[in-house]
Amino acid sequence: MKEINVSQMAVCLRHACAQIVSHESELTAIDTVIGDGDHGTGMKLGFSRLDAMLQQNSFCDMQTLLRSSGLELVKTMGGASGVIFGSLLIGGCAACAEKTVLDAQALTAVFTDAADSISRRGGAKRGDKTMLDALLGAVDAMQAAEGGDIEAVLQAAQTGAETGAEATRHMLPRFGRSKNFRDQALGYPDAGAVSTALFFRGLREGLSEQSNQEV
């Protein structure tokens, strides 16, 4: 598959929602140890509402789809997580203005811009034990796989995000409540990074399912 259209992207986002909702208990368990304990609950609420919104609406272009999805997360999740995960979708909107399909390069640009937006907004960078470690891992892998098709790029994104999330186990936290735990946070992954890896797993699974149906 060389390109992904708006309706296919919406299906992928719904799969991402399902991944995050189904892992609420895992996300809550991590955040209970090194955070406020509400990450899983907030993520389930926001992505459940996003899934419902996607099911009930259609979108004319990629920018409208991503912006509407991001705003739904900001509105329903609230707090820092709402802004951050909303920015994961809103932050890359400029890269897909008026586009109804994205190729591998354009999809990579969306998440590259999203990572830049999140970093500027919150001040975090690679190695700070945040969701950016997973997101930047995904972006790096997508850029390396840009010569392939959409499926190859999303598979690379999933692998990169999962590797980045796992790497946060060995990092000292510098943002959020987890920074108060310092050495006690070692050995535990960042909950936001795990959520980001689940998001990319969902995108990849959604695309694979649709690709298989076309065969």
Side-chain angles (χ1 to χ4, degrees):
M1 187 181 291
K2 295 297 183 182
E3 296 178 326
I4 183 171
N5 63 35
V6 178
S7 61
Q8 289 169 329
M9 187 66 172
V11 171
C12 289
L13 287 172
R14 291 196 64 200
H15 276 261
C17 291
Q19 275 292 330
I20 288 173
V21 169
S22 68
H23 286 81
E24 177 199 5
S25 59
E26 175 188 345
L27 298 173
T28 296
I30 296 169
D31 198 47
T32 298
V33 178
I34 59 171
D36 295 325
D38 60 355
H39 182 77
T41 302
M43 294 296 287
K44 180 180 181 179
L45 173 61
F47 280 87
S48 294
R49 297 284 182 82
L50 174 55
D51 182 61
M53 188 275 285
L54 291 169
Q55 190 172 8
Q56 295 165 9
N57 294 276
S58 58
F59 305 89
C60 59
D61 56 40
M62 286 289 183
Q63 187 175 48
T64 303
L65 169 63
L66 295 180
R67 178 180 286 120
S68 298
S69 298
L71 289 174
E72 187 70 15
L73 294 179
V74 173
K75 179 176 68 176
T76 58
M77 289 172 65
S81 291
V83 173
I84 290 169
F85 281 91
S87 296
L88 176 61
L89 297 171
I90 298 170
C93 279
C96 57
E98 300 182 2
K99 293 183 178 180
T100 57
V101 297
L102 299 177
D103 60 14
Q105 184 176 9
L107 184 63
T108 300
V110 167
F111 290 109
T112 300
D113 287 357
D116 290 342
S117 175
I118 292 169
S119 183
R120 288 196 307 271
R121 181 181 294 272
K125 59 185 185 301
R126 194 191 304 267
D128 285 341
K129 199 181 179 92
T130 72
M131 62 88 72
L132 268 175
D133 291 295
L135 178 54
L136 290 172
V139 167
D140 288 347
M142 292 174 82
Q143 291 173 346
E146 255 183 26
D149 61 15
I150 290 286
E151 290 177 87
V153 167
L154 281 181
Q155 179 62 69
Q158 177 188 341
T159 301
E162 290 173 347
T163 300
E166 181 63 23
T168 63
R169 288 183 183 274
H170 313 294
M171 299 174 186
L172 291 173
R174 295 187 175 90
F175 285 83
R177 190 181 175 199
S178 62
K179 70 180 181 182
N180 299 323
F181 291 83
R182 297 296 296 165
D183 291 354
Q184 296 175 51
L186 291 173
Y188 296 95
D190 176 71
V194 174
S195 293
T196 303
L198 291 170
F199 174 83
F200 281 103
R201 181 194 297 178
L203 292 185
R204 195 273 305 164
E205 288 183 350
L207 188 66
S208 293
E209 179 181 282
Q210 295 176 89
S211 180
N212 290 337
Q213 290 173 352
E214 291 180 356
V215 175

